[in-house]
Amino acid sequence: MTTEGVNKTAGQVMHEGAECVGEHESLRRAAEMMRDMSVGALPICGDDDRLKGIITDRDIVIKCVAEGKDLDQTTASELARGLVWVDAKANVEEALAKMEEHQIKRMPVIDNHRIVGMITEADLAKELPDSKLAEFVHRVYARG
């Protein structure tokens, strides 16, 4: 890889078209969406089409299934966590810093107050030099 990736914006690195699960949707619906789209996380959007948080497949398993909660009665907003996002015009360095600080592997990208995509480890792997990617992985996974 070259160092060109670090000079790009979050909007250039992200994958477009992040689909939201509604804040009032059930966790079963969120899980079905994840399955159908082959993703491990979904942004949660409110009735106002604004980002309210993010939910992961791990959240559903640990905070619902393992706790004996009903997948059909528990809503996405009940497990919404971490409203961490990056502006589409921000540089990749800023996105990396936020992901490292919050120890997250996926982050919504916002433009004009609307979600326009997500940045994931896979997106970073395509764009960053190996040394920068290794540093990111170390910082996100090493803390615990």
Side-chain angles (χ1 to χ4, degrees):
M1 292 275 136
T2 66
T3 57
E4 293 174 11
V6 294
N7 296 322
K8 291 186 176 183
T9 65
Q12 292 172 313
V13 173
M14 70 176 190
H15 61 275
E16 295 181 10
E19 192 170 328
C20 288
V21 62
E23 66 182 329
H24 304 296
E25 294 280 346
S26 72
L27 292 186
R28 181 174 308 282
R29 177 69 186 128
E32 291 168 349
M33 290 174 69
M34 287 180 193
R35 176 201 62 208
D36 294 347
M37 294 185 287
S38 297
V39 298
L42 288 173
I44 301 168
C45 294
D47 295 333
D48 58 359
D49 201 32
R50 301 280 175 115
L51 182 67
K52 302 297 182 187
I54 192 165
I55 188 170
T56 67
D57 49 4
R58 187 174 193 279
D59 292 334
I60 293 171
V61 171
I62 302 296
K63 297 176 183 173
C64 184
V65 176
E67 295 292 326
K69 294 181 180 176
D70 186 334
L71 284 170
D72 294 309
Q73 298 300 313
T74 308
T75 63
S77 65
E78 291 178 59
L79 296 190
R81 64 174 179 83
L83 194 53
V84 178
W85 54 273
V86 67
D87 189 276
K89 294 171 188 70
N91 65 40
V92 171
E93 290 289 335
E94 183 179 333
L96 281 172
K98 282 187 175 191
M99 293 171 82
E100 289 173 4
E101 176 186 349
H102 297 280
Q103 289 189 274
I104 56 177
K105 299 157 193 79
R106 308 164 183 107
M107 186 168 55
V109 179
I110 304 293
D111 188 30
N112 244 1
H113 305 291
R114 299 287 186 252
I115 186 164
V116 292
M118 296 277 281
I119 290 182
T120 67
E121 288 173 295
D123 299 319
L124 296 173
K126 292 177 201 169
E127 297 290 339
L128 297 177
D130 292 342
S131 60
K132 194 73 168 168
L133 183 62
E135 183 181 321
F136 167 78
V137 169
H138 174 74
R139 289 186 178 168
V140 170
Y141 287 97
R143 293 158 95 202

